[in-house]
Amino acid sequence: MNKKVQENITTLHKDISFNGKLVASEKIIISGQMEGSLHTSQDLIIEKSGNVKADIKSSNLSLSGVLIGNIDSNGIVTITKSGRMIGDIRSENIIIHAGAQYKGTILTKASERKEKSPKKESRLKTKR
């Protein structure tokens, strides 16, 4: 028996403009305009026609449109060659394709773990 699993997806189409806080537990695709904040435990796709001004928390994120805001991702952030972004990225992995435009700070979660780990004392002694 072959069962198809239906994936829940929220889509903001090209002709939709949304202003406010969007919280979801499903995949989100944005082709229109959004301003505010966005939080999903699933993936987020901002298509080429998408224009977003928001701070975002998501699993994986793929950006082909425009984003002004910060990203906090638990997965992979991908900025495609048509993607344009201004803001900071905090993620496990980041991929920026040739041709993409990005201005901001990148912080990988792996580097955060290194910063939080206790520093070892040096055994080197110096004379004064």
Side-chain angles (χ1 to χ4, degrees):
M1 183 171 6
N2 192 6
K3 289 185 178 181
K4 284 188 176 182
V5 177
Q6 185 176 354
E7 183 179 25
N8 292 329
I9 300 173
T10 297
T11 303
L12 297 177
H13 293 280
K14 286 182 183 181
D15 57 346
I16 294 177
S17 180
F18 177 83
N19 190 342
K21 182 177 181 178
L22 179 59
V23 178
S25 58
E26 57 193 38
K27 183 177 183 176
I28 298 174
I29 299 172
I30 299 176
S31 300
Q33 295 186 13
M34 188 206 162
E35 188 170 337
S37 67
L38 190 152
H39 181 167
T40 180
S41 58
Q42 300 299 314
D43 296 345
L44 172 64
I45 297 171
I46 301 173
E47 294 185 331
K48 198 171 186 177
S49 60
N51 190 333
V52 178
K53 291 181 183 177
D55 287 332
I56 295 171
K57 184 169 176 81
S58 71
S59 185
N60 298 310
L61 186 144
S62 176
L63 174 64
S64 296
V66 176
L67 171 62
I68 298 173
N70 301 316
I71 298 172
D72 184 359
S73 168
N74 294 324
I76 300 171
V77 172
T78 303
I79 303 175
T80 68
K81 66 180 182 178
S82 63
R84 310 287 180 257
M85 181 180 168
I86 298 174
D88 297 337
I89 300 173
R90 185 173 163 254
S91 181
E92 290 289 333
N93 296 293
I94 300 156
I95 300 168
I96 300 176
H97 290 256
Q101 293 180 7
Y102 175 74
K103 181 178 181 181
T105 301
I106 295 175
L107 180 62
T108 60
K109 292 184 179 182
S111 67
E112 280 185 328
R113 287 190 290 272
K114 287 179 186 175
E115 288 175 6
K116 289 180 182 178
S117 66
K119 293 183 180 179
K120 294 180 181 177
E121 288 185 32
S122 174
R123 295 183 183 197
L124 213 60
K125 293 186 178 181
T126 58
K127 293 183 180 181
R128 293 184 183 191

